[in-house]
Structure formats: structure tokens, C-alpha cells
Amino acid sequence: ETGVTQSPTHLIKTRGQQVTLRCSSQSGHNTVSWYQQALGQGPQFIFQYYREEENGRGNFPPRFSGLQFPNYSSELNVNALELDDSALYLCASSLAGREYGYTFGSGTRLTVV
Amino acid sequence: SQQGEEDPQALSIQEGENATMNCSYKTSINNLQWYRQNSGRGLVHLILIRSNEREKHSGRLRVTLDTSKKSSSLLITASRAADTASYFCATVPGANSKLTFGKGITLSVRP
């Protein structure tokens, strides 16, 4: 059984650029959620995908978008990057209908300069 | 927005001592979970307690939940240097819902 894998681990982008982050969910999980964690803060919920549809969204602007693929892997896309987008982006997978802890990836550290 | 608020913000103890961390939240929950994070990397799930449970144990971990006070505590017994990390409580309002995290507690265990 594999865990959650995120790529890349680190990324540096320039303000205004676009970025795509990737996540492979844990085997057997069908739900993927994304979180943004600024330095010294707790993770903030961005959105969640289930069966390739977004089924929950936090307080993030539309330039944050995502996809979930038939194999339950997922992408997070951020357009028009801003300096405040610099953060650790975490992906978590879970199995809908089962009440247990989420499995998190190691995250992607995004720096916007 | 943050739902949980952990207390204290930072805790430093000697190896072998017990560490107690508290979490308060604002709205009704389906369950509450505790996570550990080492050096700003991924979160590791420690324990989940359902809204109809009052206490739960897992190894050296003991978690309590008081829904009337909207609070939870995490006790780590016989702490080790390897327990040094940030600890977060996260609430879940309903089935298959998002996690809402607090700002976390930084625990330092001195050898």
C-alpha cells in the first residue's frame, strides 16, 4: 500500500506566473483535498474532490483550481501567482464514507518571488 | 478561518515527562482529530475521537473530548526526544468534510 505522493517537493516561481502541483492519492482512497499552510500557521482548506467533481471549497479565489483524474490522482493549479501564495501545499486523501484520519503527502514548498 | 485554537502555543518539557495540549473549537463537530508535523513537512494522523466519545487511547496517547465545553486535550505520556514536533487539532463538521485546523502547538522534548 503506497501513501500520498506529491510533486515537486520544492518550486520557485515568479509573481504572475502559473503553477501546477500534483498529488497521487493513497491506494483505495477516492477523495482528495488540498490545503495551504503559511509559515507558522495551521493548514487552510482549499478544496476537495470526489469522483472527479469539486465537492467543497474554502475561502480561496477562483485562480486556485483543481482536477481529479479517474485514478483519483489530483492537480492543484494556481494562476497569476502572488507573493502571498508562498506556502506549503499539502494534499490529503481519504475514503468517502469511512471515518478515519486523512493521509497527507509531504507537501510542495512553493516560493513566489 | 481557524476553528480550533490550541493551548499552549509552545511547550518545552524534559524527556520522560508527560505533555498535555489543549484545543478549543467553536462549532458542532462530527469528530476531532490530532495530527503531528515534523519540520514543516507532511502531517501524520495520530488519533480520531468521535463526537459521542469522551476518551480514547492509542499507545502513549490519550485524547479526551468535552463537547459541552467544545474542547479536547491530547496527553502524551513518557515523552521522548522524537516527539518534538508541531501538533494540530482538526475538527470535522460532517462525514467526508474538510478538516479545519488550529494554529498548532510546538512541542520540544529535551533529552
Side-chain angles (χ1 to χ4, degrees), chain B residues 28-104:
Chain B
S28 61
I29 61 170
N30 176 279
N31 66 73
L32 184 145
Q33 304 178 27
W34 285 89
Y35 287 82
R36 185 186 73 225
Q37 184 176 42
N38 290 86
S39 302
R41 299 308 295 176
L43 293 148
V44 175
H45 176 255
L46 296 176
I47 196 164
L48 178 154
I49 186 164
R50 296 179 176 82
S51 60
N52 62 353
E53 297 176 316
R54 293 296 166 259
E55 188 172 313
K56 206 163 181 180
H57 297 255
S58 176
R60 293 185 297 115
L61 305 179
R62 171 180 169 256
V63 65
T64 63
L65 179 65
D66 186 335
T67 53
S68 66
K69 295 181 180 178
K70 291 187 168 59
S71 67
S72 173
S73 68
L74 174 68
L75 169 68
I76 303 175
T77 60
S79 63
R80 305 166 182 168
D83 294 328
T84 294
S86 294
Y87 291 81
F88 295 88
C89 72
T91 55
V92 180
N96 203 34
S97 294
K98 65 179 183 178
L99 294 165
T100 302
F101 289 87
K103 291 185 178 181

Side-chain angles (χ1 to χ4, degrees), chain B residues 10-25:
Chain B
L11 184 60
S12 181
I13 59 174
Q14 201 74 34
E15 203 165 27
E17 293 181 338
N18 295 341
T20 299
M21 291 168 267
N22 303 300
C23 167
S24 60
Y25 57 92

Side-chain angles (χ1 to χ4, degrees), chain A residues 6-84:
Chain A
Q6 290 188 244
S7 62
T9 55
H10 294 84
L11 201 52
I12 300 175
K13 288 286 189 178
T14 303
R15 189 173 49 182
Q17 285 189 313
Q18 177 266 343
V19 68
T20 297
L21 309 182
R22 294 179 174 82
C23 171
S24 295
S25 60
Q26 180 169 314
S27 175
H29 286 183
N30 56 15
T31 301
V32 173
S33 49
W34 287 90
Y35 293 81
Q36 180 196 65
Q37 186 178 22
L39 203 60
Q41 301 293 316
Q44 296 281 311
F45 174 72
I46 303 175
F47 43 56
Q48 178 172 282
Y49 279 83
Y50 171 66
R51 291 186 174 178
E52 302 175 55
E53 296 283 335
E54 184 182 294
N55 77 334
R57 190 178 181 92
N59 189 26
F60 281 81
R63 59 190 186 82
F64 285 77
S65 63
L67 285 172
Q68 185 183 31
F69 300 100
N71 65 354
Y72 306 122
S73 65
S74 177
E75 284 183 356
L76 164 65
N77 298 290
V78 187
N79 294 321
L81 284 166
E82 301 176 0
L83 298 179
D84 285 348

